[in-house]
Amino acid sequence: MFDIQTETIEWAGRTLTLETGRMARQANGAVLVTYGETTVLATAVAQKEVKPGMDFFPLTVNYQEKYFAAGKIPGGYFKREGRPTDKETLTSRLIDRPIRPLFPKGFKNDTQVMLTVLSHDLENDPDVVGMVGASAALCLSGLPFLGPIGAARVGYKDGDYVINPTVDELDDSELDLVVAGTSDAVMMVESEAKELSEEVMLGAVMAGHEAFQPVIDMIIRLAEKAAKDPWDFEPVDNSALEAKVRGLVGDEIAKAYTITNKTERQAAVSAAKEKAVAELAATEDNPDGAEMAVLKDVLKSVEASVVRGGIIKTGKRIDGRSLDQVRPIVSEATVLPRTHGSALFTRGETQALCVVTLGTGEDEQFIDALTGTYKERFLLHYNFPPYSVGETSFRLAPGRREIGHGKLAWRALSAVMPNAEAFPYTVRLVSEITESNGSSSMATVCGGSLALMDAGVPITRPVSGIAMGLIKDPEGVAVLSDILGDEDHLGDMDFKVAGTSEGVTSLQMDIKIAGINKDIMQTALDQAKGGRIHILDEMNKALSGTREALNEHAPKIETIQIPVDKIRDVIGSGGKVIRQIVEETGAKVDVNDDGLIKVSAVSADSIKAALDWINGLTAEPEVGKIYKGKVVKVVDFGAFVNFFGPRDGLVHVSQLKNERVGHPKDVVAEGQEVWVKLLGFDDRGKVRLSMKIIDQETGEEMAEEGVED
């Protein structure tokens, strides 16, 4: 019934197995990938017919984590997996990026790759496993996929690279880098790092590329045994139509790309394209004309050829810059009056308004993952409204692009964020892209760094980011710094590097061609470093370091550590005590399981009142120390004084006054505030206090004559 084929290798200390023929046999390609005890089912399916009018390659990659994979039941009312989590969205993008360029130009069949996590051993992240599975499923499917690709995760600890570190090993790693590519070139890099040098980052990419070569070999062996017959696909030859378009509007497109203003340039390019459509598109009057979808493809090809050729030949960019020149930069801090921190970063026609809000432990985000639920105290949300590019669209929840760009900026900045002990705040950074013409994610990094410093967040050092591009033609290679949107759209690479003056904190690379080699990456990294330092210098003109004080509108937080066995005293039965503290002092009180208490309020007096209350509940009184208390009961032999939270002590009649006292009521009354000194404890642990050695006017200790023990 089953024709099962498998391939197995030992890879980075664990067993990697590819199996096909047992599950999902109606898919064009299906592979069950197991690494350690993490298992992912990868499937690839494409429609046989192309939808009419399709003018792009409709590839969809869907990665989904099933909660049963880790022996968990989903939270929420419905108790089933719902909309994709950020992790699922980011992993879908991660897998899409290296496989999309390896489909031939002109293939427009609706194609879907699905990765389903069936088992998770809580050690091996399923993202790389899913990428390997996607590559294998496509190679078996018969689709015109120019793979296979391999992928690996690379860590860095104590000067050594670690291939496919486990989840726990990543906690101690200075690097988390995922690299994918073919046997001879790198296609995709995604990483976060702790201020590592360009040399270390490039070495990590090359180490990962070398490490996944055995994976590519095993996919080829599996394909030799189980691949389906190749699809009958021949790219359409549009060279004749391309020659017509070039002759008709090629010069007009070239002239349009000499206009430096984006809006005017786009208008001129659109006019040239409309002229070509009017002349060459199929209509009732011109039945022999080209189909609109084909004509759009050809126009894009001519446009790319004109722009790319101009850059290679002249060394000048669309807006007149040299290859390594960064656009003019304006950095501004404290641009909004009531926010906790804000900055406006403008680079050419790209602009990010970044705003920081400081919160307490109550504001931490709970993340429900297969590895368990955890809290995140640094949140970064990126928004790309349509007005930023002069367009209109229906606004829904954040899409894959917004989630991906936000995560890239988060990775770049998280490396310099203070730990909870140094800065016990929850930090939310929001980036509103108000203008866009190239690399709004790197503008978010720059503006976000300024906004964090403006809010008083003690980051290690400022962070800047730059997007690099590539034009790789037979006539030559050009690496571009700070690319425009058109250069990204028509170029071969999107290479983003973020970091401080000391090193790289994040690196992301996407390739639209069949990969790049080490030399090109080295050139891009070196050129990016110069651009990054230049941008940091421009940012320093607005703000060169963290402000010494928090914004007056930000909450103030102080922490106190109490013994774990005292937590119940602070919370009280059913939360009665902590609610009373909050209501009467106006402060927020967050109690951690380890006894760390965060007290926050805008008013310093509220914080002090709450801390004093908590100290009274949890601390132990010190012998010899003077306290202010209140008489709670008067008896024949003295007075009981509440002096330390809920703690009472006895002032014996002999300790009331430096003279003979007939009855304690002659000296004190219930409700009266008095100063007392803690003398010690008797054999039964009872507290002994004294009033007579304390000046009741000033609270200062007097001479000790007549003190009785």
Side-chain angles (χ1 to χ4, degrees), residues 356-670:
V356 167
T357 306
L358 303 179
T360 66
E362 292 181 352
D363 300 308
E364 293 178 340
Q365 183 178 16
F366 283 86
I367 308 293
D368 194 15
L370 289 185
T371 52
T373 301
Y374 64 95
K375 293 181 180 180
E376 180 57 64
R377 50 183 293 273
F378 175 40
L379 316 175
L380 194 153
H381 297 140
Y382 164 101
N383 298 311
F384 193 89
Y387 66 75
S388 66
V389 287
E391 296 177 355
T392 62
S393 70
F394 188 66
R395 296 289 289 160
L396 295 171
R400 285 189 172 192
R401 183 180 186 276
E402 289 178 305
I403 293 172
H405 279 46
K407 186 64 175 180
L408 173 59
W410 181 93
R411 289 190 178 106
L413 292 168
S414 64
V416 299
M417 290 294 290
N419 58 34
E421 289 71 28
F423 194 71
Y425 289 84
T426 297
V427 180
R428 183 185 185 227
L429 170 59
V430 177
S431 175
E432 297 287 337
I433 303 304
T434 51
E435 297 178 22
S436 181
N437 184 12
S439 193
S440 54
S441 61
M442 294 297 96
T444 295
V445 172
C446 301
S449 177
L450 289 169
L452 288 167
M453 293 189 293
D454 185 53
V457 180
I459 63 174
T460 309
R461 272 172 288 276
V463 181
S464 70
I466 188 170
M468 310 296 293
L470 174 71
I471 305 294
K472 187 173 184 289
D473 277 350
E475 298 180 7
V477 175
V479 176
L480 315 179
S481 295
D482 181 27
I483 54 175
L484 300 172
D486 287 334
E487 291 170 337
D488 182 12
H489 180 62
L490 301 173
D492 297 322
M493 176 180 75
D494 184 9
F495 188 95
K496 297 183 175 75
V497 186
T500 69
S501 58
E502 301 301 311
V504 175
T505 58
S506 181
L507 187 154
Q508 183 187 83
M509 184 187 75
D510 294 313
I511 298 297
K512 302 174 188 177
I513 53 178
I516 62 171
N517 57 31
K518 181 179 180 180
D519 291 339
I520 293 177
M521 284 195 66
Q522 180 72 66
T523 301
L525 278 168
D526 291 343
Q527 195 166 310
K529 183 177 181 180
R532 199 177 77 239
I533 298 302
H534 167 74
I535 294 170
L536 279 173
D537 291 340
E538 294 298 310
M539 291 166 56
N540 287 340
K541 294 177 182 178
L543 195 60
S544 59
T546 298
R547 299 196 187 279
E548 294 183 0
L550 297 180
N551 185 285
E552 61 178 321
H553 302 298
K556 311 300 184 291
I557 297 181
E558 293 193 27
T559 61
I560 182 174
Q561 185 72 48
I562 66 170
V564 174
D565 60 1
K566 296 286 187 179
I567 292 177
R568 62 178 180 273
D569 297 330
V570 176
I571 296 176
S573 177
K576 178 181 178 181
V577 174
I578 197 169
R579 284 198 302 271
Q580 186 180 4
I581 296 173
V582 171
E583 290 171 4
E584 295 193 18
T585 66
K588 285 185 178 181
V589 180
D590 297 318
V591 183
N592 291 350
D593 293 340
D594 60 358
L596 180 68
I597 298 180
K598 299 177 184 177
V599 180
S600 60
V602 175
S603 166
D605 291 339
S606 294
I607 293 177
K608 184 179 184 304
L611 286 174
D612 289 345
W613 196 323
I614 294 168
N615 271 318
L617 293 170
T618 62
E620 294 295 333
E622 299 179 26
V623 175
K625 193 170 181 178
I626 298 171
Y627 299 94
K628 191 171 187 179
K630 182 182 291 187
V631 178
V632 293
K633 188 175 183 181
V634 180
V635 293
D636 292 342
F637 50 86
F640 287 97
V641 176
N642 175 228
F643 72 102
F644 195 83
R647 189 182 290 270
D648 296 341
L650 174 65
V651 181
H652 191 267
V653 64
S654 63
Q655 294 293 330
L656 286 172
K657 210 169 185 181
N658 271 319
E659 58 186 57
R660 184 175 179 79
V661 177
H663 193 280
K665 288 184 179 181
D666 297 336
V667 180
V668 294
E670 291 184 9

Side-chain angles (χ1 to χ4, degrees), residues 29 54 96 111 135 156 186 203 205 215 250 262 314 350 371 400 443 467 490 537 561 582 598 653-654 657:
M54 183 63 65
D96 181 298
T111 304
S135 172
Y156 186 72
V186 175
V205 173
V215 177
K262 175 185 175 182
T314 67
T350 298
T371 52
R400 285 189 172 192
L490 301 173
D537 291 340
Q561 185 72 48
V582 171
K598 299 177 184 177
V653 64
S654 63
K657 210 169 185 181

